[in-house]
């Protein structure tokens, strides 16, 4: 592996140079350090504007002039003011285990909630949190920072780097990167790439619209969870307040080195090595395979040129590989219908063996076989389960709560594994798999219908690219064993998976301001709705409440099931309904398996879905704060 540090420069505030000893002392005492060193708002805003402009201008020439250069950013006065924000404003930026907000103007009714000063405070807070966590380290800490293709990426990258500098941490900028690569950088042992990083920040808002952005944080223990994110936002609110303290006007800033590193080359070479190893150390195990990639103009374009091509695959027909934060072609999201249609079309048009699609920051993925069948949602889980259960017979597969009944019988009856249907939320699913292992139940795969999937062998990292590597391994191994080419080996692996005829998700909004909430939290109201549905259904002889269920209420009946639960983030009760009428095939002569028969089963399934919808509509009708329009549309569609 060749070390490629292609740019290295230091951002040093001249006024701080005399305080070298200060730095060493306060590195160990972050709170004191922060309260003493934070600059005043006016200086700060000026610093933001000047430093980012100067850094930008200089960096253009640094590539040409030298590999290493030190320059100074002096804060000057400005009339700009930092908007007044309190702890609640910061806490509103939490989205489960991520931070998300509006980073640029342009969408009516969506004011910017993640401006540069807020970003700086959040990054400084992460630095402070990391210093606290790594108290025992005697050396200076470093944090890697990467971003996806969003139009606000560069501005936020600069603000994050300044914020980390405020906390006295060194910054290693990776540029365009994937979320899993950022986590990986906390594990890689290679000093020439300044790895391992003590912490990593990915600037991304996954598949959300162009005006949004946000952050994911990692240490070598994995992604930070909800509790730590809340802690960081609380710290950020305090830091931000101190930024407005006029008494700190004369404060000085820590020096911080910022180094740019081409880390994606390390990460991608790891993926290439994994496939070669699985194929018995063949240099080009995918030679002759035609695989098209759709990156949706996110960060995943690297997969074609840096992973597939070195392995020998033909990638012509790949599309939307260039980063473009306006996402002009489709949303980079395997859960999006238009996105899946686009990759399916590319596979069919190019007569490719396989199609691969990523979300914006490559922590999710899906695939399409040569006939245009999607490996997505339950079918992707079934495929990965089949691969993992071949390697680890009997292992437990942990999934989210909206997986189908057909998947359970496929995993348990066909593959001989155990299906543990847990909660929605990739972090919940991964943490549950880790917990199971810790109490002696072996689990090697945690995967969501959203396309987030993590393997024990890959440090429980939800990596869309690594999921695809597992699929490529299967293709390459089958070819090496002379078991034919193309994607048939994959399609055969999911043979027997029973898929629903009807699968729908309705998202029923709770009006947070409705008087029926009586000032209470929407979650409390949502829980009341769920309790009421449960009580009403208990006595219904046509319906069975799932005895083991980890969120909301899951009910079977009318040839299918529904799950009503509280959204992880929004004032919404998502309702999933799936129906697959079961016909005993031995009672139906093969001649009847015609289009007519297919249409009949479809119509029956739709009727059953409506019946399940009606059950919910009837039981929730007294809850006036719940918007049931989507349910009415369904039940009146029959
Ligand atoms: O609860 P919901 O609103 O349906 O959202 C649930 C989803 O939220 C985010 O997108 C997470 O990344 C997913 O892991 C999770 O499944």
């Amino acid at each position: 592996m060749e070390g490629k540090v292609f740019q290295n420069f230091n951002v040093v505030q001249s006024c701080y140079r005399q305080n070298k000893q200060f730095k060493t002392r306060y590195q160990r005492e972050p709170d004191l350090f922060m309260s003493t060193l934070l600059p005043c708002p006016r200086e700060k805003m000026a610093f933001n504007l000047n430093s980012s402009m100067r850094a930008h201008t200089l960096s253009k020439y640094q590539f040409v002039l030298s590999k290493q250069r030190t320059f100074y950013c002096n804060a000057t006065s400005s009339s700009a003011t930092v908007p007044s924000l309190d702890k609640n404003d910061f806490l509103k930026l939490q989205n489960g285990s991520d931070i998300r907000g509006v980073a640029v103007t342009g969408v009516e009714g969506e004011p910017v909630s993640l401006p540069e000063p807020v970003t700086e405070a959040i990054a400084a807070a992460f630095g402070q949190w990391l210093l606290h966590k790594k108290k025992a380290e005697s050396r200076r800490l470093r944090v890697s920072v990467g971003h996806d293709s969003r139009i606000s990426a560069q501005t936020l990258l600069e603000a994050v780097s300044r914020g980390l500098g405020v906390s006295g941490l060194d910054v290693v900028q990776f540029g365009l990167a994937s979320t899993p690569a950022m986590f990986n950088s906390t594990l890689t042992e290679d000093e020439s790439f300044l790895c391992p990083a003590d912490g990593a920040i990915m600037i991304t808002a996954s598949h959300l619209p162009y005006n949004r952005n946000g952050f994911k944080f990692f240490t070598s223990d994995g992604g930070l969870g909800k509790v730590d994110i809340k802690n960081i936002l609380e710290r950020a609110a305090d830091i931000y307040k101190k930024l407005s303290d006029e008494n700190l006007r004369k404060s000085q800033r820590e020096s911080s080195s910022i180094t740019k590193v081409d880390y994606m080359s390390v990460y991608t070479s790891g993926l290439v090595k994994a496939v070669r190893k699985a194929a018995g150390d063949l240099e080009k195990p995918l030679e002759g395979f035609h695989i098209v990639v759709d990156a949706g103009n996110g960060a995943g374009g690297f997969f074609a040129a840096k992973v597939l091509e070195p392995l020998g695959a033909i990638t012509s027909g790949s599309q939307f590989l260039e980063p473009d934060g306006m996402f002009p072609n489709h949303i980079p999201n395997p859960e999006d219908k238009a996105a899946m249609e686009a990759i399916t079309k590319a596979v069919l048009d190019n007569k490719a063996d396989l199609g691969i699609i990523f979300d914006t920051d490559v922590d999710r993925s899906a695939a399409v076989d040569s006939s245009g069948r999607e490996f997505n949602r339950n079918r992707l889980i079934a495929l990965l389960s089949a691969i993992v259960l071949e390697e680890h017979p009997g292992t437990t597969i942990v999934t989210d709560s909206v997986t189908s009944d057909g998947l359970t019988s496929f995993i348990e009856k066909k593959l001989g594994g155990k299906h543990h249907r847990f909660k929605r939320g990739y972090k919940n699913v991964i943490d549950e798999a880790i917990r199971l292992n810790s109490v002696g139940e072996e689990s090697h795969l945690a995967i969501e219908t959203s396309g987030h999937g993590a393997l024990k062998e890959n440090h429980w990292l939800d990596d869309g690219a690594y999921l695809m590597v597992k699929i490529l391994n299967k293709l390459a191994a089958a070819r090496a064993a002379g078991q034919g080419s193309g994607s048939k080996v994959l399609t055969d692996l999911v043979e027997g998976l029973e898929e629903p005829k009807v699968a729908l998700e309705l998202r029923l909004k709770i009006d947070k301001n409705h008087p029926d909430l009586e000032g209470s939290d929407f979650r409390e109201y949502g829980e009341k709705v769920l309790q009421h549905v449960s009580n009403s259904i208990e006595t219904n002889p046509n319906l069975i409440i799932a005895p083991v269920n980890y969120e909301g209420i899951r009910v079977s009946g009318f040839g299918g099931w529904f799950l009503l639960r509280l959204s992880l983030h929004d004032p919404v009760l998502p309702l999933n309904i799936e129906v697959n009428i079961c016909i005993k095939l031995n009672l139906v002569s093969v001649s009847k398996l015609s289009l007519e028969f297919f249409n009949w089963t479809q119509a029956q399934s739709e009727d059953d879905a409506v019946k399940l919808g009606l059950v919910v509509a009837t039981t929730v009708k007294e809850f006036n704060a719940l918007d049931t329009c989507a349910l009415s549309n369904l039940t009146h569609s029959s």
Side-chain angles (χ1 to χ4, degrees):
M1 194 184 305
E2 239 183 286
K4 272 197 207 150
V5 176
F6 61 74
Q7 191 187 7
N8 187 339
F9 57 89
N10 291 307
V11 179
V12 184
Q13 268 197 288
S14 55
C15 57
Y16 193 69
R17 274 177 301 171
Q18 64 269 36
N19 287 305
K20 284 282 176 204
Q21 313 90 316
F22 208 62
K23 172 197 84 191
T24 325
R25 177 173 158 219
Y26 286 97
Q27 180 121 0
R28 305 272 67 79
E29 293 166 70
D31 290 333
L32 180 56
F33 167 78
M34 291 306 303
S35 61
T36 317
L37 293 186
L38 286 163
C40 73
R42 288 185 173 184
E43 271 185 300
K44 181 176 170 53
M45 286 305 284
F47 177 82
N48 288 346
L49 297 170
N50 289 345
S51 63
S52 61
M53 277 184 329
R54 292 192 58 193
H56 191 74
T57 320
L58 282 169
S59 64
K60 268 205 306 198
Y61 300 106
Q62 272 162 343
F63 284 107
V64 183
L65 294 175
S66 83
K67 281 193 166 181
Q68 193 164 339
R69 188 158 178 139
T70 303
F71 64 98
Y72 304 100
C73 297
N74 291 316
T76 55
S77 291
S78 154
S79 56
T81 50
V82 177
S84 141
L85 299 172
D86 63 20
K87 195 172 274 184
N88 266 341
D89 295 311
F90 274 83
L91 290 177
K92 276 186 205 148
L93 296 169
Q94 175 157 16
N95 187 287
S97 49
D98 302 334
I99 288 176
R100 298 220 174 129
V102 176
V104 288
T105 52
V107 176
E108 217 187 310
E110 295 191 8
V112 171
S113 58
L114 209 55
E116 286 180 66
V118 169
T119 299
E120 261 185 65
I122 291 171
F126 174 63
Q128 204 186 69
W129 177 89
L130 197 64
L131 284 165
H132 182 73
K133 186 179 163 75
K134 306 240 171 190
K135 277 200 261 311
E137 300 282 344
S138 54
R139 61 189 170 74
R140 195 177 165 92
L141 300 184
R142 60 190 172 206
V143 173
S144 55
V145 188
H147 58 80
D148 67 18
S149 59
R150 289 174 181 277
I151 55 172
S152 51
Q154 193 59 33
T155 308
L156 293 197
L157 171 70
E158 285 166 14
V160 163
S161 302
R162 288 195 299 275
L164 289 168
V166 164
S167 281
L169 276 72
D170 285 339
V171 179
V172 190
Q173 294 182 348
F174 290 176
L176 188 71
S178 71
T179 293
M182 296 315 298
F183 170 53
N184 231 59
S185 72
T186 65
L187 304 172
T188 303
E189 305 259 343
D190 189 339
E191 203 47 43
S192 56
F193 285 91
L194 302 180
C195 288
D198 298 291
I201 302 181
M202 177 67 181
I203 303 172
T204 182
S206 191
H207 59 280
L208 295 185
Y210 78 93
N211 65 328
R212 317 288 178 84
N213 217 330
F215 312 106
K216 289 177 192 254
F217 302 92
F218 300 92
T219 66
S220 55
D221 296 336
L224 269 58
K226 278 184 190 171
V227 174
D228 288 326
I229 296 297
K230 185 163 179 259
N231 179 293
I232 286 170
L233 286 170
E234 282 167 353
R235 284 173 188 263
D238 284 348
I239 292 172
Y240 189 83
K241 240 190 278 154
K242 284 168 192 154
L243 296 178
S244 321
D245 184 346
E246 287 293 320
N247 294 329
L248 294 171
R249 179 179 284 269
K250 300 276 180 263
S251 297
Q252 294 157 319
R253 188 183 294 255
E254 174 65 276
S255 66
S256 160
S257 87
I258 300 180
T259 310
K260 294 194 176 187
V261 165
D262 176 21
Y263 179 76
M264 284 306 278
S265 64
V266 183
Y267 168 76
T268 49
S269 77
L271 298 178
V272 169
K273 273 186 207 152
V275 182
R276 285 189 179 139
K277 190 167 163 223
D281 287 325
L282 274 181
E283 176 73 9
K284 293 194 181 289
L286 297 179
E287 189 126 53
F289 280 105
H290 187 173
I291 303 175
V292 293
V293 176
D294 183 329
N297 304 102
F302 68 85
F303 202 78
K306 294 273 183 69
V307 179
L308 294 174
E309 288 170 18
L311 292 167
I314 302 157
T315 61
S316 57
S318 290
Q319 58 193 11
F320 319 138
L321 303 182
E322 331 64 46
D324 183 337
M326 294 305 289
F327 310 121
N329 294 295
H330 59 70
I331 300 168
N333 179 7
E335 285 190 290
D336 182 66
K337 200 164 163 249
M340 288 311 293
E341 279 168 7
I343 181 64
T344 304
K345 184 171 183 308
V347 169
L348 297 176
D349 287 355
N350 290 282
K351 300 191 172 39
D353 296 307
L354 189 73
I356 288 177
I357 183 165
F358 296 111
D359 76 336
T360 321
D361 58 323
V362 199
D363 57 5
R364 294 189 289 130
S365 56
V368 173
D369 74 10
S370 57
S371 71
R373 277 304 293 277
E374 294 175 6
F375 290 115
N376 202 6
R377 299 184 62 80
N378 287 289
R379 226 171 129 76
L380 179 66
I381 299 177
L383 177 59
L384 264 307
S385 301
I387 292 172
V388 168
L389 275 154
E390 274 179 1
E391 295 165 3
H392 306 282
T395 200
T396 297
I397 310 292
V398 182
T399 73
D400 62 324
S401 56
V402 305
T403 43
S404 65
D405 288 347
L407 181 70
T408 308
S409 50
F410 181 74
I411 291 174
E412 303 203 336
K413 295 194 182 125
K414 165 118 197 259
L415 303 177
K418 183 175 163 198
H419 180 198
H420 180 50
R421 181 184 292 118
F422 194 55
K423 297 179 186 171
R424 194 84 170 126
Y426 67 92
K427 194 83 175 88
N428 290 333
V429 175
I430 292 171
D431 288 349
E432 177 66 358
I434 294 171
R435 189 194 66 79
L436 287 182
N437 281 294
S438 76
V439 296
E441 180 169 342
E442 191 195 84
S443 173
H444 287 267
L445 175 65
I447 184 164
E448 254 204 318
T449 41
S450 63
H452 278 284
L455 288 121
K456 187 178 179 199
E457 70 187 35
N458 194 36
H459 312 278
W460 289 118
L461 166 63
D462 54 321
D463 184 347
Y466 194 81
L467 278 194
M468 293 300 111
V469 158
K470 288 299 281 182
I471 290 178
L472 298 178
N473 288 349
K474 196 71 206 161
L475 285 183
R479 153 79 70 75
Q483 290 168 2
S485 57
S487 55
K488 191 168 177 307
V489 60
L490 304 178
T491 313
D492 288 351
L493 280 176
V494 295
E495 177 73 46
L497 170 70
E498 194 182 280
E499 292 183 76
K501 279 251 169 345
V502 175
L504 48 97
E505 178 170 298
L506 309 176
R507 296 181 70 86
L508 316 178
K509 278 196 187 145
I510 300 171
D511 176 357
K512 287 197 286 187
N513 303 317
H514 196 282
D516 279 11
L517 265 69
E518 292 163 354
S520 69
D521 179 45
F522 72 85
R523 292 192 176 276
E524 235 172 83
Y525 187 82
E527 292 296 351
K528 269 192 213 152
V529 177
L530 293 174
Q531 191 55 54
H532 181 76
V533 173
S534 174
N535 296 344
S536 323
I537 281 172
E538 246 163 21
T539 50
N540 188 327
N542 296 319
L543 302 168
I544 301 165
I545 298 178
V548 181
N549 188 46
Y550 295 89
E551 66 176 344
I553 170 166
R554 186 170 173 123
V555 174
S556 302
F558 301 113
W561 57 268
F562 74 77
L563 173 73
L564 186 67
R565 66 182 175 94
L566 252 168
S567 156
L568 294 187
H569 324 286
D570 306 322
V572 163
L573 288 174
L575 171 67
N576 288 80
I577 300 180
E578 278 194 15
V579 177
N580 187 11
I581 67 148
C582 239
I583 302 290
K584 291 241 177 328
L585 283 183
N586 55 358
L587 298 179
V588 180
S589 76
V590 174
S591 62
K592 284 208 178 133
L593 292 172
S594 58
L595 184 63
E596 208 177 295
F597 176 75
F598 173 83
N599 288 341
W600 179 77
T601 56
Q602 185 67 35
Q604 289 299 307
S605 299
E606 281 165 19
D607 274 1
D608 285 342
V610 169
K611 283 179 195 153
L612 286 167
L614 267 172
V615 168
V616 179
T618 318
T619 49
V620 302
K621 67 172 185 299
E622 292 147 32
F623 289 87
N624 299 320
L626 196 63
D627 180 351
T628 52
C629 280
L631 258 179
S632 307
N633 288 344
L634 171 75
T635 51
H636 291 124
S637 65
S638 58

